[in-house]
Amino acid sequence: LFCPRNAWVERHLKLGKEETVPEDLAANTRGNIIHFVEEAILRAHGLKKDQIPSKAKKLADGELKNIDAAWQVALETLVAKAPWMKRADGVAAHRCRDLVGVNPSIWKSWLEGEESIPVGGRLGRMIQADFGLKDCAPLASEWEVRQNGDRNVTIVLPPSPEQEAEEKSFRLTGFIDKVDAVLVDYDLEKEAKTIPLDLNLNQDVPVSKLVIIRDIKSMDGPKDDGRDSRHLKGLFDEVQLALYARAWEIGNPGHRVIGVGVTQVGIDTHSWVELDPDFTELLSESHVGIVTQYLVNQYRRPGESTPAASNPFRAWMRERITTANRVIENAEAGKIPCNCSTIGSCLSSKRGGW
């Protein structure tokens, strides 16, 4: 978002600076473990790769009947994905306690079938938090966005109803960490079509499924303070949540995304979710996560007068899509206003001009 060329160099060409974490596991390694475990649990629950279940089930109603069963899947995943946990060094000892709540010697004893490991550590608390989402049913895990069989989705940005402008579009690729169906008494219609990007508050449109998009982030150190700072960053500084929300609606006609949020996995797991204000009252007694309402009174459609009639959640989605499109257009024009580590390779760029 801040420098497309730098993102290409560091994330795709892998030419960025090495992480300076000599006394611990690399941050991306720790984050990958969380994702591996979550995906393994949801696969054991019954989710299949590249398939959306016709009838979503709560975690407690799937193949995994309880937290203990999910815990065993987590431990078995660690055996395959984290062989370093049985080492005797300080890093292994610290991260073993952090992840599962035991030291490497107990971990080795469990591997040899001599001891059992009770639910604990950050992974255990993550599983408990997942089972606590009693009004959600997993729909997808590590889902690659797709449309009509293609491994990408075309995001269309129509002109705002209050303005005359040219329609714009771009293609999006990527993987959504987790998608939940919301289980609530709501009038669903199987033949519903793609939800329009722009909706007014309390505007009734046919819907076949209510959906929440979740981004899973591992939290460590002073950032792991129990507050929703990473969730706020996902809403206001980044475009990923909004783009994935719209991509899911386009790829799954009739599905309406009514919530997005960052699940912060640290000492405790906090499943933050920003809800569409049209559904806050309906879900006031539901267990769908820690509900926030930061977007209300913050967004409205371009050209709209006050008082605004637009749904601020949908207006936020439009604004984030607009921001992503502007980044793409400026990158194509060579307008990359930055002083990052890749500035030396930007010989054809124009500084400024946004």
Side-chain angles (χ1 to χ4, degrees):
L1 181 61
F2 295 105
C3 179
R5 195 182 301 274
N6 183 58
W8 173 257
V9 169
E10 294 192 353
R11 298 186 183 184
H12 292 271
L13 300 183
K14 307 297 183 182
L15 298 179
K17 296 180 180 178
E18 294 185 3
E19 291 188 79
T20 56
V21 285
E23 297 181 359
D24 200 353
L25 294 175
N28 62 337
T29 300
R30 301 195 299 270
N32 285 342
I33 290 173
I34 300 296
H35 283 79
F36 288 143
V37 170
E38 180 77 359
E39 182 181 11
I41 290 171
L42 295 179
R43 294 281 180 255
H45 166 68
L47 294 186
K48 300 184 183 302
K49 186 177 181 180
D50 299 334
Q51 293 183 28
I52 299 175
S54 57
K55 186 176 181 180
K57 298 179 181 179
K58 294 187 291 185
L59 275 178
D61 295 335
E63 299 297 324
L64 300 173
K65 298 300 182 183
N66 52 46
I67 291 175
D68 288 335
W71 179 239
Q72 293 307 309
V73 173
L75 296 179
E76 291 165 7
T77 303
L78 288 176
V79 173
K81 299 296 185 180
W84 48 264
M85 283 179 61
K86 56 187 177 182
R87 297 195 316 236
D89 57 50
V91 171
H94 171 58
R95 285 302 164 186
C96 197
R97 287 184 181 278
D98 173 59
L99 291 172
V100 296
V102 300
N103 59 43
S105 64
I106 295 178
W107 175 254
K108 290 177 67 176
S109 295
W110 175 81
L111 290 174
E112 296 167 0
E114 298 175 357
E115 292 196 47
S116 62
I117 299 178
V119 178
R122 76 167 59 202
L123 292 179
R125 290 185 288 273
M126 179 184 74
I127 293 171
Q128 291 169 335
D130 284 348
F131 272 80
L133 301 174
K134 298 178 181 179
D135 295 298
C136 290
L139 269 183
S141 173
E142 299 299 326
W143 180 264
E144 185 175 24
V145 297
R146 57 186 61 221
Q147 181 182 14
N148 300 324
D150 295 328
R151 300 172 65 180
N152 60 72
V153 170
T154 299
I155 305 290
V156 176
L157 181 63
S160 172
E162 289 77 19
Q163 291 183 328
E164 292 185 5
E166 179 184 352
E167 180 178 279
K168 300 180 180 180
S169 66
F170 57 88
R171 287 188 298 173
L172 175 72
T173 61
F175 291 82
I176 305 175
D177 288 348
K178 186 182 179 186
V179 183
D180 283 342
V182 179
L183 306 179
V184 66
D185 185 14
Y186 192 80
D187 186 18
L188 300 176
E189 300 183 21
K190 291 184 178 180
E191 303 303 321
K193 298 180 179 180
T194 302
I195 307 299
L197 175 61
D198 298 305
L199 293 174
N200 289 337
L201 282 169
N202 302 313
Q203 182 177 345
D204 187 30
V205 293
V207 173
S208 63
K209 199 176 293 292
L210 302 177
V211 171
I212 291 176
I213 303 292
R214 302 188 194 272
D215 189 22
I216 301 172
K217 298 295 184 184
S218 178
M219 306 294 289
D220 285 283
K223 293 182 179 180
D224 184 16
D225 56 6
R227 293 186 289 184
D228 59 356
S229 55
R230 191 60 187 83
H231 172 64
L232 283 169
K233 182 178 180 181
L235 293 175
F236 294 106
D237 289 353
E238 300 171 347
V239 297
Q240 178 175 285
L241 282 172
L243 295 183
Y244 281 166
R246 189 56 184 159
W248 182 269
E249 291 183 338
I250 294 170
N252 301 277
H255 289 202
R256 179 171 176 177
V257 175
I258 64 167
V260 299
V262 173
T263 297
Q264 299 177 185
V265 182
I267 296 175
D268 291 309
T269 292
H270 299 92
S271 303
W272 302 100
V273 57
E274 178 75 15
L275 281 184
D276 183 322
D278 274 344
F279 295 88
T280 52
E281 184 176 350
L282 178 66
L283 299 176
S284 60
E285 302 297 325
S286 299
H287 297 83
V288 297
I290 306 172
V291 175
T292 62
Q293 284 286 271
Y294 290 120
L295 304 180
V296 176
N297 300 323
Q298 295 290 326
Y299 290 89
R300 64 185 182 193
R301 288 193 299 265
E304 191 175 17
S305 60
T306 56
S310 61
N311 181 314
F313 184 84
R314 310 296 297 187
W316 163 80
M317 199 183 299
R318 164 180 278 280
E319 189 276 334
R320 294 285 80 193
I321 293 171
T322 301
T323 297
N325 186 71
R326 287 173 177 167
V327 170
I328 293 169
E329 290 181 339
N330 279 282
E332 290 175 342
K335 301 176 182 179
I336 304 174
C338 73
N339 290 294
C340 68
S341 59
T342 63
I343 193 67
S345 65
C346 298
L347 301 179
S348 62
S349 68
K350 297 179 181 179
R351 306 285 295 281
W354 287 69

